[in-house]
Amino acid sequence: MRTPAPALHRTVRAAVAVALGSLTAWCGTAAAAAEDTAITIYSSAEPGAISPDTYRPVPGGGVPNASSVPGYAMVRQERDVKLASGRSTIKFADVAALIDPTTVTFTSLTEPRTRVLEQSYQFDLVSTEKLLLRYVDRPITVERRVGDRIETINGTLLSSIDGLLLRTGDGTLESLHDFSSIRFPELPGGLDTKPTLVWDISSPRSGDQRSRVTYQTGGVTWWADYNLIFNEGKDANNGLLDLSAWVSIINQSGGAYPNARLKLIAVDVHRLSPEARPAFAKRAMDLAQAVAAPEAGFSEKSFFEFHLYTLERPTTLANNSTKQIELFDQAKQVPARKVLIYNGAAGPYYYSSAPLTDRNFGGQSNKKVDVYLEFRNDKQYGLGVPLPAGRIRVSKLDSADGSLEFIGEDRIDHTPKDEDVRVKLGSAFDVVGERKQTDFSVDSKAQWMEEQFEIKLRNHKEQPVRVVVKENLYRWSNWKILTKTHDFVKEDARTIDFPVDVPKDGETLVRYRVRYTW
């Protein structure tokens, strides 16, 4: 069948709109003004791991696949519905296309005796092809252009395969392959223009009732983005930063949520399966929500063992959209430390069930010195709130022209208040390291071995720097440092740190000897 012209689509839409208007009046769907929507969003994405291709159209590729959005939401909608006494049917058409029908609940808030006998989810959506199939052996009107005029043909549709086959009023058959529009008298039952929830309701009285519908939908997620602006401090090891935090929300659920009350859960919620219904999320939807000033931002509170962020004003989440909302006011002049870490072993290494007595094991050297920014999530400096997992982008002001230049990014996990945040920026350009094994001996019968290392740090900056030399004692779990040039801090059972100062344009040598026994 030839693709219908735009006039065909306009005609079909007009017929559907008329039919849907009658259907809405019959089922008693709530007026838009009476709706109250709340949505709680959960994310199952790794911090900073959501690709922009998930939420922006790819040139020539259309809208991204909503099923790839790593998250879900619990939606609660309250509406006024008109019910008849006894048994009646109501429909809610404005629901998300990616709804999980097994999570749907309907409750009357004004009449506790009203109960649901049956509920169903109808997703057989109207299209030209489905309408033609439903109108086989039924009358339709077809228009086609003949020269400069429009010819109208009325008849009974016999087939829509390879064009249209009609029986006209005089009994003749007419096959049409070239036509401009089709008119259908009405929208057949069983077809909807939107995914629709249908309830078979029993109520002891007629009249208006306030109802609440709750369901879970896919195609929705959120994540946090942090922007840091770093400024050098009094020396090369310290500085100040300004931190702003934003929440990004993707809605590709197939539904829109106008003037909705929004909550975000920062949590790794356990789910039995991707299709399972989280009882915890249901309880979250039932929390009372306060009405706040229009300019209010997010408030945070502990919720069970998790953290709940509530936007203290309504917001609109359009379908197929990405929205950003400020998580909290910008924190300024937060003290930060620049931390240089040298892990000279090329690694990674995995601990063995037996002592590693091969002298060549671990002999390779890494020259890169990693650069980190570290600050404390402290209320004293405008923070002191639980930070949800997210990506941190760091910029620095170029004093030459006043522009901000990107210097690195990292991701953080959920971080409680009063904890340190460490952001990796990359590798230092002017500070390098060198690690060398200078001695090794082993006595397998006596069950011991000794190893000695020499670590050189060279600083080509005009300022002295502090570097943390991180050494992994990977050969065996029972060890003892015999000699050392600098004091160390035991980080864990297999790791020691040597914090050392390296002068400007100078070099520092760290040497230690370790003995393993078993």
Side-chain angles (χ1 to χ4, degrees):
M1 186 177 72
R2 187 172 180 178
T3 302
L8 170 60
H9 294 288
R10 290 194 298 271
T11 305
V12 173
R13 286 197 298 269
V16 168
V18 172
L20 184 60
S22 302
L23 179 64
T24 301
W26 164 73
C27 67
T29 302
E35 282 194 22
D36 179 30
T37 301
I39 180 170
T40 301
I41 304 176
Y42 302 75
S43 174
S44 57
E46 290 293 324
I50 299 179
S51 167
D53 291 338
T54 304
Y55 52 87
R56 69 183 180 195
V58 180
V63 178
N65 181 11
S67 62
S68 65
V69 174
Y72 60 98
M74 294 300 299
V75 180
R76 186 186 71 190
Q77 294 178 324
E78 293 185 6
R79 307 184 185 186
D80 293 326
V81 295
K82 186 179 292 294
L83 297 177
S85 177
R87 192 166 176 172
S88 60
T89 301
I90 62 172
K91 291 189 175 185
F92 278 10
D94 297 325
V95 296
L98 295 184
I99 187 175
D100 179 353
T102 65
T103 64
V104 175
T105 62
F106 175 91
T107 306
S108 174
L109 302 178
T110 53
E111 177 51 75
R113 294 174 295 172
T114 296
R115 62 192 183 96
V116 176
L117 303 177
E118 296 179 4
Q119 70 178 22
S120 61
Y121 175 59
Q122 297 181 356
F123 50 89
D124 191 12
L125 303 185
V126 65
S127 67
T128 303
E129 290 75 14
K130 289 180 180 179
L131 281 173
L132 288 171
L133 289 174
R134 295 293 184 94
Y135 267 87
V136 172
D137 294 329
R138 296 180 62 181
I140 62 172
T141 299
V142 181
E143 293 181 349
R144 65 178 178 180
R145 180 173 295 277
V146 179
D148 58 353
R149 64 185 181 86
I150 299 296
E151 181 182 68
T152 300
I153 303 171
N154 297 301
T156 299
L157 179 64
L158 301 180
S159 174
S160 60
I161 300 174
D162 191 25
L164 302 180
L165 182 62
L166 273 66
R167 178 184 288 116
T168 59
D170 59 4
T172 60
L173 300 180
E174 185 155 356
S175 178
L176 302 173
H177 292 273
D178 187 12
F179 52 89
S180 57
S181 70
I182 307 172
R183 292 202 297 270
F184 302 91
E186 62 180 359
L187 182 67
L191 288 179
D192 295 293
T193 58
K194 298 179 180 179
T196 302
L197 293 170
V198 182
W199 288 275
D200 188 356
I201 301 288
S202 175
S203 180
R205 64 178 180 85
S206 61
D208 291 335
Q209 295 186 27
R210 188 68 171 174
S211 68
R212 174 184 293 164
V213 177
T214 306
Y215 61 84
Q216 178 184 314
T217 179
V220 186
T221 194
W222 75 279
W223 69 93
D225 284 305
Y226 302 92
N227 295 316
L228 299 184
I229 299 176
F230 177 75
N231 293 292
E232 298 283 359
K234 59 184 179 181
D235 55 47
N237 300 307
N238 294 278
L240 297 171
L241 57 84
D242 298 339
L243 185 150
S244 58
W246 291 83
V247 166
S248 297
I249 301 170
I250 296 176
N251 177 24
Q252 294 178 15
S253 66
Y257 309 99
N259 295 316
R261 291 176 288 168
L262 173 66
K263 290 183 178 181
L264 309 173
I265 291 285
V267 57
D268 301 319
V269 176
H270 174 66
R271 305 179 76 194
L272 297 178
S273 68
E275 294 79 22
R277 177 184 180 181
F280 163 73
K282 284 284 297 168
R283 292 195 297 272
M285 289 304 304
D286 294 333
L287 293 175
Q289 301 182 13
V291 177
E295 69 277 5
F298 280 97
S299 65
E300 177 276 332
K301 69 176 181 180
S302 295
F303 183 68
F304 192 57
E305 291 299 317
F306 315 126
H307 284 276
L308 183 68
Y309 298 83
T310 301
L311 183 62
E312 299 292 346
R313 66 174 187 270
T315 189
T316 295
L317 302 179
N319 187 36
N320 289 329
S321 70
T322 301
K323 169 167 280 194
Q324 287 190 301
I325 306 173
E326 190 176 41
L327 182 60
F328 52 75
D329 291 340
Q330 185 183 42
K332 296 186 176 182
Q333 301 296 291
V334 179
R337 300 173 297 279
K338 188 189 298 182
V339 181
L340 301 180
I341 297 179
Y342 178 60
N343 195 337
Y349 296 108
Y350 302 96
Y351 301 129
S352 172
S353 58
L356 300 172
T357 58
D358 180 0
R359 71 172 300 141
N360 296 317
F361 187 82
Q364 300 84 2
S365 176
N366 164 48
K367 290 191 174 183
K368 297 290 186 181
V369 176
D370 294 328
V371 183
Y372 295 82
L373 280 182
E374 192 173 83
F375 62 93
R376 191 164 183 81
N377 183 14
D378 193 336
K379 184 177 181 180
Q380 178 182 356
Y381 302 106
L383 295 173
V385 295
L387 302 176
R391 177 169 46 200
I392 292 187
R393 297 180 178 90
V394 184
S395 301
K396 186 177 182 299
L397 189 68
D398 183 357
S399 58
D401 58 6
S403 62
L404 283 176
E405 302 297 343
F406 175 73
I407 58 174
E409 72 176 21
D410 200 1
R411 62 182 68 173
I412 64 170
D413 205 346
H414 301 308
T415 305
K417 66 176 183 177
D418 301 326
E419 292 287 334
D420 289 336
V421 179
R422 179 175 284 185
V423 183
K424 184 176 182 179
L425 300 182
S427 299
F429 188 90
D430 295 319
V431 183
V432 295
E434 183 180 350
R435 180 179 186 266
K436 181 170 61 175
Q437 182 195 68
T438 57
D439 190 29
F440 180 84
S441 56
V442 60
D443 188 332
S444 298
K445 290 183 179 181
Q447 297 184 323
W448 64 266
M449 62 181 158
E450 292 184 6
E451 187 172 29
Q452 182 167 297
F453 281 99
E454 186 177 275
I455 298 105
K456 291 181 180 179
L457 297 167
R458 292 185 289 275
N459 175 23
H460 300 283
K461 288 177 173 289
E462 293 298 321
Q463 291 178 301
V465 297
R466 168 157 286 204
V467 180
V468 176
V469 177
K470 188 177 294 291
E471 286 292 294
N472 190 296
L473 306 176
Y474 45 79
R475 290 189 178 273
W476 190 236
S477 57
N478 190 25
W479 54 268
K480 181 180 180 181
I481 302 298
L482 301 179
T483 61
K484 63 185 188 304
T485 57
H486 296 74
D487 291 334
F488 66 86
V489 177
K490 185 177 178 180
E491 183 177 318
D492 56 41
R494 292 282 189 97
T495 309
I496 59 175
D497 295 339
F498 293 93
V500 297
D501 294 318
V502 188
K504 65 176 184 178
D505 278 326
E507 178 180 283
T508 296
L509 177 67
V510 177
R511 185 185 296 113
Y512 74 94
R513 187 176 188 88
V514 59
R515 180 183 180 93
Y516 297 93
T517 57
W518 60 94

